[in-house]
Amino acid sequence: MTDHPLRAAIIPVTPLQQNCTLLWCTKTMRAAVIDPGGDLARIHAAIAQAEVTVEKIVLTHGHIDHCGEAKPLADELGVPIEGPHEADRFWIARLDEDGRNYGIHGVPFEPSRWLVEGDTVTVGELVLDVYETPGHTPGHVVFHHPESKLAVVGDVLFKGSVGRTDFPLSDTQALIDSVVTKLWPMGDDTVFLPGHGEPSQFGVERLNNPFVADRVLAQS
């Protein structure tokens, strides 16, 4: 993404190739790291390359590949953690256990701020709108910058797929409802950065996604 006044760089991390996102305000060069699941050296290198100052860590949800090393990174940078919704406390409390299971370093934490729908997250002079999008996890949230037509959606929606709902506390119908009622209204021309894989646009997914395309849901 090179849209003014926002830029974003995707940094694949962990063996699960999770899309950590470095998002920054081009006017102030202040940045947020979204979903630092691991590989902190790679994240630090991206921060240095972009020549930005990170002012916070922001989380979409509590799974190990998205926030396993949020606390170590926050401690290293001396910044707060914002998000996800408190309903993901269950997942954050078991990060060390899940880390052992997946071979990923996981450190439980208490964020500086839990997020709820209607909140905003600031990055420099950017203002991101927060939406609650349960389904993949109960406390999943997404971030939208309307002016840039950009959304960071974690594991709600992917190019050609949707987030898994076979985990504890997942809910398939809630996930579909989150996509239709929270993501689609952002506009077909909105680009989204998913938690795994390539970016896409909501309009493309409404046409082609085998799980949530308009024609698929009309037949269900």
Coordinates of all heavy atoms in Angstrom, one line a residue, residues 53-133:
T53 N 8.9 5.5 13.6 CA 9.0 5.4 15.0 C 7.7 4.7 15.5 O 6.6 5.2 15.3 CB 9.0 6.7 15.7 OG1 10.2 7.4 15.3 CG2 9.1 6.6 17.3
V54 N 7.8 3.5 16.0 CA 6.6 2.7 16.5 C 6.1 3.3 17.8 O 6.9 3.5 18.7 CB 7.0 1.2 16.6 CG1 5.8 0.5 17.2 CG2 7.4 0.6 15.3
E55 N 4.8 3.6 17.8 CA 4.2 4.1 19.0 C 3.3 3.2 19.7 O 2.9 3.5 20.9 CB 3.5 5.5 18.7 CG 2.4 5.4 17.7 CD 1.8 6.7 17.4 OE1 2.4 7.8 17.8 OE2 0.7 6.8 16.9
K56 N 2.9 2.1 19.1 CA 2.1 1.1 19.8 C 2.0 -0.2 19.0 O 2.4 -0.3 17.8 CB 0.6 1.6 19.9 CG -0.1 1.9 18.6 CD -1.4 2.5 18.8 CE -1.3 3.9 19.5 NZ -2.6 4.6 19.6
I57 N 1.6 -1.2 19.7 CA 1.3 -2.5 19.1 C -0.2 -2.7 19.1 O -0.9 -2.4 20.1 CB 2.0 -3.7 19.8 CG1 3.5 -3.6 19.6 CG2 1.5 -5.0 19.4 CD1 4.3 -4.4 20.5
V58 N -0.8 -3.2 18.0 CA -2.2 -3.3 17.8 C -2.5 -4.8 17.4 O -1.8 -5.4 16.6 CB -2.7 -2.4 16.8 CG1 -4.2 -2.5 16.6 CG2 -2.4 -0.9 17.1
L59 N -3.6 -5.4 18.0 CA -3.8 -6.8 17.8 C -5.3 -7.0 17.3 O -6.2 -6.4 17.9 CB -3.6 -7.5 19.1 CG -2.2 -7.4 19.8 CD1 -2.2 -8.1 21.1 CD2 -1.2 -8.0 18.9
T60 N -5.4 -7.9 16.4 CA -6.7 -8.3 15.9 C -7.4 -9.4 16.7 O -8.6 -9.4 16.9 CB -6.7 -8.8 14.4 OG1 -5.9 -10.0 14.3 CG2 -6.1 -7.7 13.5
H61 N -6.5 -10.3 17.2 CA -7.1 -11.4 18.1 C -6.0 -12.1 18.8 O -4.8 -11.8 18.6 CB -8.0 -12.3 17.2 CG -7.2 -13.1 16.2 ND1 -6.7 -12.6 15.1 CD2 -7.0 -14.5 16.1 CE1 -6.2 -13.5 14.3 NE2 -6.3 -14.7 14.9
G62 N -6.4 -13.1 19.6 CA -5.5 -13.6 20.6 C -4.7 -14.9 20.2 O -4.1 -15.5 21.1
H63 N -4.8 -15.3 19.0 CA -4.1 -16.5 18.6 C -2.6 -16.4 18.6 O -2.1 -15.3 18.3 CB -4.6 -17.0 17.2 CG -5.9 -17.8 17.3 ND1 -6.6 -18.0 16.1 CD2 -6.6 -18.3 18.3 CE1 -7.7 -18.7 16.5 NE2 -7.7 -18.8 17.8
I64 N -1.9 -17.5 18.8 CA -0.4 -17.5 19.0 C 0.3 -16.8 17.9 O 1.3 -16.1 18.1 CB 0.1 -18.9 19.3 CG1 1.6 -19.0 19.5 CG2 -0.3 -19.9 18.2 CD1 2.0 -18.4 20.8
D65 N -0.1 -17.1 16.6 CA 0.7 -16.6 15.5 C 0.5 -15.1 15.3 O 1.2 -14.5 14.5 CB 0.3 -17.4 14.2 CG -1.1 -17.4 13.9 OD1 -1.9 -17.5 14.8 OD2 -1.5 -17.5 12.7
H66 N -0.5 -14.5 15.9 CA -0.8 -13.1 15.8 C -0.3 -12.3 17.0 O 0.0 -11.1 16.8 CB -2.3 -12.9 15.7 CG -2.8 -13.3 14.3 ND1 -3.1 -12.4 13.3 CD2 -3.1 -14.6 13.8 CE1 -3.6 -13.1 12.3 NE2 -3.5 -14.4 12.6
C67 N -0.2 -12.9 18.1 CA 0.3 -12.1 19.3 C 1.2 -12.8 20.2 O 1.4 -12.3 21.3 CB -0.9 -11.5 20.0 SG -1.9 -12.8 20.9
G68 N 1.8 -13.9 19.8 CA 2.7 -14.6 20.7 C 3.8 -13.8 21.3 O 4.2 -14.0 22.4
E69 N 4.4 -12.9 20.5 CA 5.5 -12.1 21.0 C 5.1 -10.6 21.0 O 6.0 -9.7 21.0 CB 6.7 -12.3 20.1 CG 7.3 -13.7 20.3 CD 8.8 -13.8 20.0 OE1 9.2 -13.5 18.8 OE2 9.5 -14.2 20.9
A70 N 3.9 -10.3 21.2 CA 3.4 -8.9 21.4 C 4.1 -8.3 22.6 O 4.6 -7.2 22.6 CB 1.9 -8.8 21.5
K71 N 4.1 -9.0 23.7 CA 4.6 -8.4 25.0 C 6.1 -8.2 24.9 O 6.6 -7.2 25.2 CB 4.3 -9.3 26.2 CG 4.9 -8.8 27.5 CD 4.3 -9.4 28.7 CE 5.1 -9.0 29.9 NZ 5.3 -7.5 30.0
P72 N 6.9 -9.2 24.4 CA 8.3 -9.0 24.3 C 8.6 -7.8 23.4 O 9.5 -7.0 23.7 CB 8.9 -10.3 23.7 CG 7.9 -11.3 24.1 CD 6.6 -10.7 24.2
L73 N 7.9 -7.6 22.3 CA 8.2 -6.5 21.4 C 7.8 -5.2 22.0 O 8.5 -4.2 21.9 CB 7.4 -6.7 20.1 CG 7.6 -5.6 19.0 CD1 9.1 -5.5 18.6 CD2 6.7 -5.8 17.8
A74 N 6.6 -5.2 22.7 CA 6.2 -4.0 23.5 C 7.2 -3.6 24.5 O 7.6 -2.4 24.7 CB 4.8 -4.2 24.1
D75 N 7.8 -4.6 25.2 CA 8.8 -4.3 26.2 C 10.1 -3.7 25.5 O 10.7 -2.8 26.1 CB 9.2 -5.6 27.0 CG 8.0 -6.0 27.9 OD1 7.1 -5.2 28.1 OD2 8.1 -7.2 28.4
E76 N 10.5 -4.3 24.4 CA 11.7 -3.8 23.7 C 11.5 -2.4 23.2 O 12.5 -1.6 23.3 CB 12.0 -4.8 22.6 CG 12.5 -6.1 23.0 CD 12.7 -7.1 21.8 OE1 12.6 -6.6 20.7 OE2 12.9 -8.3 22.1
L77 N 10.3 -2.1 22.7 CA 10.1 -0.8 22.1 C 9.6 0.3 23.1 O 9.6 1.4 22.9 CB 9.1 -0.9 21.0 CG 9.5 -1.7 19.8 CD1 8.4 -1.8 18.8 CD2 10.7 -1.1 19.1
G78 N 9.1 -0.2 24.3 CA 8.6 0.7 25.3 C 7.3 1.3 24.9 O 7.1 2.5 25.1
V79 N 6.4 0.5 24.3 CA 5.1 1.0 23.8 C 4.0 0.2 24.3 O 4.1 -1.0 24.8 CB 5.1 0.9 22.2 CG1 6.2 1.8 21.7 CG2 5.2 -0.5 21.7
P80 N 2.7 0.7 24.3 CA 1.6 0.0 24.8 C 1.0 -1.0 23.8 O 1.4 -0.9 22.6 CB 0.5 1.1 25.0 CG 0.9 2.1 24.1 CD 2.4 2.1 23.9
I81 N 0.2 -1.9 24.3 CA -0.5 -2.9 23.4 C -2.0 -2.5 23.4 O -2.6 -2.4 24.5 CB -0.3 -4.3 23.9 CG1 1.1 -4.7 23.9 CG2 -1.2 -5.3 23.1 CD1 1.4 -6.1 24.5
E82 N -2.6 -2.4 22.3 CA -4.0 -2.1 22.2 C -4.7 -3.2 21.4 O -4.3 -3.6 20.3 CB -4.3 -0.8 21.5 CG -3.6 0.4 22.2 CD -4.0 1.8 21.6 OE1 -4.8 1.8 20.7 OE2 -3.4 2.8 22.1
G83 N -5.8 -3.8 22.1 CA -6.5 -4.9 21.5 C -6.0 -6.2 22.0 O -5.0 -6.3 22.7
P84 N -6.8 -7.2 21.6 CA -8.1 -7.2 20.9 C -9.2 -6.9 21.8 O -9.0 -6.2 22.8 CB -8.1 -8.7 20.4 CG -7.4 -9.5 21.4 CD -6.3 -8.6 21.9
H85 N -10.4 -7.5 21.6 CA -11.5 -7.4 22.5 C -11.3 -8.3 23.7 O -10.6 -9.4 23.5 CB -12.8 -7.7 21.8 CG -14.1 -7.6 22.6 ND1 -14.5 -8.5 23.5 CD2 -15.0 -6.6 22.6 CE1 -15.6 -8.1 24.1 NE2 -15.9 -7.0 23.5
E86 N -11.8 -8.0 24.8 CA -11.5 -8.8 26.0 C -12.0 -10.2 25.9 O -11.6 -11.1 26.7 CB -12.1 -8.1 27.3 CG -11.6 -8.7 28.6 CD -12.0 -7.8 29.8 OE1 -12.7 -6.8 29.6 OE2 -11.5 -8.2 30.9
A87 N -13.0 -10.5 25.0 CA -13.4 -11.9 24.9 C -12.3 -12.8 24.5 O -12.5 -14.1 24.6 CB -14.6 -11.9 23.9
D88 N -11.2 -12.3 24.0 CA -10.1 -13.2 23.7 C -9.1 -13.4 24.8 O -8.0 -13.9 24.6 CB -9.3 -12.7 22.4 CG -9.9 -13.2 21.1 OD1 -11.0 -13.8 21.2 OD2 -9.2 -13.1 20.1
R89 N -9.5 -13.0 26.0 CA -8.6 -13.2 27.2 C -8.3 -14.7 27.3 O -7.2 -15.1 27.7 CB -9.3 -12.7 28.4 CG -8.5 -12.8 29.7 CD -9.3 -12.3 30.9 NE -9.5 -10.9 30.9 CZ -8.6 -10.0 31.4 NH1 -7.5 -10.4 31.9 NH2 -8.9 -8.7 31.4
F90 N -9.2 -15.6 27.0 CA -9.0 -17.0 27.0 C -7.8 -17.4 26.2 O -7.0 -18.2 26.7 CB -10.3 -17.7 26.4 CG -10.1 -19.2 26.1 CD1 -10.2 -20.2 27.0 CD2 -9.8 -19.5 24.8 CE1 -10.0 -21.5 26.7 CE2 -9.6 -20.9 24.4 CZ -9.8 -21.9 25.4
W91 N -7.7 -16.9 25.0 CA -6.6 -17.3 24.1 C -5.2 -16.7 24.6 O -4.2 -17.3 24.6 CB -6.8 -16.8 22.7 CG -7.9 -17.7 22.0 CD1 -9.2 -17.4 21.8 CD2 -7.7 -19.0 21.6 NE1 -9.8 -18.4 21.2 CE2 -8.9 -19.5 21.0 CE3 -6.6 -19.9 21.6 CZ2 -9.1 -20.7 20.5 CZ3 -6.8 -21.2 21.1 CH2 -8.0 -21.6 20.5
I92 N -5.3 -15.4 25.1 CA -4.1 -14.8 25.5 C -3.5 -15.4 26.7 O -2.3 -15.5 26.9 CB -4.3 -13.3 25.7 CG1 -4.7 -12.6 24.4 CG2 -3.2 -12.6 26.4 CD1 -5.2 -11.2 24.5
A93 N -4.4 -15.9 27.6 CA -3.9 -16.6 28.8 C -3.2 -17.9 28.6 O -2.4 -18.3 29.4 CB -5.1 -16.8 29.8
R94 N -3.4 -18.5 27.4 CA -2.8 -19.8 27.1 C -1.7 -19.7 26.0 O -1.3 -20.7 25.4 CB -3.8 -20.8 26.7 CG -4.7 -20.4 25.6 CD -5.8 -21.4 25.3 NE -5.3 -22.4 24.4 CZ -6.0 -23.5 24.1 NH1 -7.2 -23.7 24.6 NH2 -5.5 -24.4 23.3
L95 N -1.2 -18.5 25.8 CA -0.2 -18.3 24.8 C 1.1 -19.1 25.0 O 1.7 -19.7 24.0 CB 0.2 -16.8 24.6 CG -0.8 -15.9 23.9 CD1 -0.4 -14.5 24.0 CD2 -0.9 -16.3 22.5
D96 N 1.5 -19.3 26.3 CA 2.7 -20.1 26.5 C 2.4 -21.5 26.2 O 3.3 -22.2 25.5 CB 3.2 -19.9 27.9 CG 2.1 -20.1 29.0 OD1 0.9 -20.2 28.6 OD2 2.5 -20.1 30.2
E97 N 1.3 -22.0 26.6 CA 0.9 -23.4 26.3 C 0.8 -23.7 24.8 O 1.3 -24.6 24.2 CB -0.4 -23.8 27.0 CG -0.9 -25.2 26.6 CD -2.3 -25.4 27.2 OE1 -2.8 -24.6 28.1 OE2 -3.0 -26.4 26.8
D98 N 0.1 -22.8 24.1 CA -0.1 -22.9 22.6 C 1.3 -22.8 21.9 O 1.5 -23.4 20.9 CB -1.1 -21.9 22.1 CG -2.5 -22.2 22.4 OD1 -2.8 -23.4 22.7 OD2 -3.4 -21.3 22.3
G99 N 2.1 -21.9 22.5 CA 3.4 -21.7 21.9 C 4.2 -23.0 21.9 O 4.9 -23.4 20.9
R100 N 4.2 -23.8 23.0 CA 4.9 -25.0 23.1 C 4.3 -26.0 22.0 O 5.0 -26.8 21.4 CB 4.8 -25.6 24.5 CG 5.6 -24.9 25.5 CD 5.7 -25.6 26.8 NE 4.4 -25.7 27.5 CZ 4.0 -24.8 28.3 NH1 4.7 -23.7 28.6 NH2 2.8 -24.9 28.9
N101 N 3.0 -26.0 21.9 CA 2.3 -26.9 20.9 C 2.7 -26.6 19.5 O 2.8 -27.5 18.6 CB 0.8 -26.9 21.1 CG 0.4 -27.4 22.4 OD1 1.0 -28.2 23.0 ND2 -0.8 -27.0 22.9
Y102 N 2.9 -25.3 19.2 CA 3.1 -24.9 17.8 C 4.6 -24.6 17.5 O 5.0 -24.3 16.4 CB 2.3 -23.7 17.4 CG 0.9 -23.9 17.1 CD1 -0.1 -23.8 18.1 CD2 0.4 -24.3 15.9 CE1 -1.4 -24.0 17.9 CE2 -0.9 -24.5 15.6 CZ -1.8 -24.4 16.6 OH -3.2 -24.6 16.3
G103 N 5.4 -24.7 18.5 CA 6.8 -24.4 18.3 C 7.1 -22.9 18.1 O 8.0 -22.5 17.4
I104 N 6.2 -22.1 18.7 CA 6.3 -20.6 18.6 C 6.4 -20.1 20.0 O 5.8 -20.5 20.9 CB 5.1 -20.0 17.9 CG1 4.9 -20.6 16.5 CG2 5.2 -18.5 17.8 CD1 3.6 -20.3 15.9
H105 N 7.3 -19.0 20.2 CA 7.4 -18.4 21.5 C 6.1 -17.6 21.8 O 5.7 -16.8 21.0 CB 8.6 -17.5 21.5 CG 8.9 -16.9 22.9 ND1 9.3 -15.6 23.1 CD2 8.9 -17.5 24.1 CE1 9.5 -15.4 24.3 NE2 9.2 -16.5 25.0
G106 N 5.5 -17.9 22.9 CA 4.3 -17.2 23.3 C 4.3 -16.7 24.8 O 4.7 -17.5 25.7
V107 N 4.0 -15.5 24.9 CA 4.1 -14.8 26.3 C 2.7 -14.2 26.6 O 2.3 -13.2 25.9 CB 5.2 -13.7 26.3 CG1 5.3 -13.1 27.7 CG2 6.5 -14.3 25.9
P108 N 2.0 -14.7 27.6 CA 0.8 -14.1 28.0 C 1.0 -12.6 28.4 O 2.1 -12.3 28.9 CB 0.3 -15.0 29.2 CG 1.0 -16.3 29.0 CD 2.3 -15.9 28.4
F109 N -0.1 -11.8 28.3 CA 0.0 -10.4 28.7 C -1.3 -9.8 29.0 O -2.4 -10.5 28.7 CB 0.7 -9.6 27.5 CG -0.2 -9.7 26.2 CD1 -1.1 -8.7 26.0 CD2 0.0 -10.7 25.3 CE1 -1.9 -8.8 24.8 CE2 -0.7 -10.8 24.2 CZ -1.7 -9.8 23.9
E110 N -1.3 -8.7 29.5 CA -2.5 -7.9 29.7 C -2.4 -6.6 28.8 O -1.4 -5.8 29.1 CB -2.7 -7.5 31.2 CG -4.0 -6.7 31.4 CD -5.2 -7.5 31.6 OE1 -5.1 -8.7 31.7 OE2 -6.3 -6.9 31.6
P111 N -3.2 -6.4 27.8 CA -3.0 -5.2 27.0 C -3.2 -3.9 27.8 O -3.9 -3.9 28.8 CB -4.0 -5.3 25.9 CG -5.1 -6.2 26.4 CD -4.4 -7.2 27.4
S112 N -2.6 -2.8 27.3 CA -2.9 -1.5 27.9 C -4.3 -1.1 27.7 O -4.9 -0.4 28.6 CB -2.0 -0.5 27.3 OG -0.6 -0.9 27.3
R113 N -5.0 -1.6 26.7 CA -6.3 -1.3 26.4 C -7.0 -2.4 25.6 O -6.6 -2.8 24.5 CB -6.3 0.0 25.5 CG -7.6 0.6 25.0 CD -7.3 1.7 24.1 NE -8.5 2.3 23.5 CZ -8.5 2.9 22.3 NH1 -7.4 3.0 21.6 NH2 -9.6 3.4 21.8
W114 N -8.1 -2.9 26.1 CA -9.0 -3.8 25.4 C -9.8 -2.9 24.4 O -10.1 -1.7 24.8 CB -9.9 -4.6 26.3 CG -9.3 -5.5 27.2 CD1 -9.1 -5.3 28.6 CD2 -8.7 -6.8 26.9 NE1 -8.4 -6.4 29.1 CE2 -8.2 -7.3 28.1 CE3 -8.5 -7.5 25.8 CZ2 -7.6 -8.6 28.2 CZ3 -7.9 -8.8 25.8 CH2 -7.4 -9.3 27.0
L115 N -10.2 -3.4 23.3 CA -10.9 -2.6 22.3 C -12.4 -3.1 22.2 O -12.6 -4.3 22.3 CB -10.3 -2.7 20.9 CG -8.8 -2.0 20.9 CD1 -8.2 -2.3 19.5 CD2 -8.9 -0.5 21.2
V116 N -13.3 -2.2 21.9 CA -14.7 -2.5 21.6 C -15.1 -1.8 20.4 O -14.5 -0.8 20.0 CB -15.6 -2.2 22.8 CG1 -15.3 -3.0 24.0 CG2 -15.6 -0.7 23.1
E117 N -16.2 -2.2 19.7 CA -16.7 -1.5 18.6 C -17.0 -0.1 18.9 O -17.6 0.2 19.9 CB -17.9 -2.3 18.0 CG -18.5 -1.6 16.8 CD -19.0 -2.7 15.8 OE1 -18.6 -3.8 15.9 OE2 -19.7 -2.3 14.9
G118 N -16.6 0.8 17.9 CA -16.8 2.2 18.1 C -15.6 2.9 18.6 O -15.5 4.1 18.6
D119 N -14.6 2.1 19.2 CA -13.3 2.7 19.5 C -12.6 3.1 18.3 O -12.9 2.7 17.2 CB -12.5 1.7 20.3 CG -12.9 1.5 21.8 OD1 -13.7 2.4 22.2 OD2 -12.4 0.6 22.4
T120 N -11.6 4.0 18.5 CA -10.6 4.3 17.4 C -9.2 4.0 17.9 O -9.0 4.1 19.1 CB -10.8 5.7 16.9 OG1 -10.6 6.6 18.0 CG2 -12.1 6.0 16.3
V121 N -8.4 3.7 17.0 CA -6.9 3.6 17.3 C -6.2 4.6 16.4 O -6.4 4.7 15.2 CB -6.5 2.2 16.9 CG1 -4.9 2.1 17.0 CG2 -7.1 1.1 17.9
T122 N -5.4 5.4 17.1 CA -4.6 6.4 16.4 C -3.2 5.9 16.1 O -2.6 5.2 16.9 CB -4.6 7.8 17.2 OG1 -3.9 7.5 18.4 CG2 -6.0 8.3 17.4
V123 N -2.7 6.3 14.9 CA -1.3 6.0 14.5 C -0.8 7.3 13.9 O -1.2 7.7 12.8 CB -1.2 4.9 13.5 CG1 0.2 4.6 13.2 CG2 -1.9 3.6 14.1
G124 N 0.0 8.1 14.6 CA 0.3 9.4 14.2 C -0.9 10.2 14.1 O -1.7 10.3 15.0
E125 N -1.2 10.8 12.9 CA -2.4 11.5 12.6 C -3.5 10.7 12.0 O -4.6 11.2 11.8 CB -2.2 12.7 11.8 CG -1.3 13.8 12.5 CD -1.1 15.0 11.6 OE1 -1.7 15.2 10.6 OE2 -0.3 15.9 12.1
L126 N -3.3 9.4 11.8 CA -4.3 8.5 11.3 C -5.3 8.1 12.4 O -4.9 7.9 13.5 CB -3.7 7.2 10.7 CG -2.6 7.4 9.6 CD1 -2.0 6.0 9.3 CD2 -3.2 8.0 8.4
V127 N -6.5 7.9 12.0 CA -7.5 7.4 12.9 C -8.1 6.1 12.3 O -8.8 6.2 11.2 CB -8.6 8.4 13.2 CG1 -9.7 7.9 14.1 CG2 -8.0 9.7 13.8
L128 N -8.0 5.0 12.9 CA -8.5 3.7 12.5 C -9.8 3.4 13.3 O -9.8 3.5 14.5 CB -7.5 2.6 12.7 CG -6.1 2.8 12.1 CD1 -5.2 1.6 12.4 CD2 -6.1 3.1 10.6
D129 N -10.8 3.0 12.6 CA -12.1 2.6 13.2 C -12.0 1.2 13.6 O -11.5 0.3 12.8 CB -13.3 2.8 12.3 CG -13.5 4.3 11.9 OD1 -13.2 5.2 12.8 OD2 -13.8 4.6 10.7
V130 N -12.5 0.8 14.8 CA -12.5 -0.5 15.3 C -13.9 -1.2 15.2 O -14.9 -0.6 15.5 CB -12.1 -0.5 16.8 CG1 -12.1 -1.9 17.4 CG2 -10.7 0.1 17.0
Y131 N -13.9 -2.4 14.6 CA -15.1 -3.2 14.5 C -15.0 -4.5 15.2 O -13.9 -5.2 15.0 CB -15.5 -3.4 13.1 CG -15.9 -2.1 12.3 CD1 -15.0 -1.3 11.7 CD2 -17.3 -1.7 12.3 CE1 -15.3 -0.2 11.0 CE2 -17.6 -0.6 11.6 CZ -16.6 0.2 11.0 OH -17.0 1.4 10.3
E132 N -15.9 -4.9 16.0 CA -15.9 -6.3 16.5 C -16.4 -7.3 15.5 O -17.4 -7.1 14.8 CB -16.9 -6.4 17.7 CG -16.4 -5.5 18.9 CD -17.4 -5.5 20.1 OE1 -18.2 -6.5 20.2 OE2 -17.4 -4.6 20.9
T133 N -15.6 -8.3 15.2 CA -15.8 -9.3 14.2 C -15.6 -10.7 14.7 O -14.7 -11.4 14.3 CB -14.9 -9.0 13.0 OG1 -13.5 -9.0 13.5 CG2 -15.3 -7.8 12.3

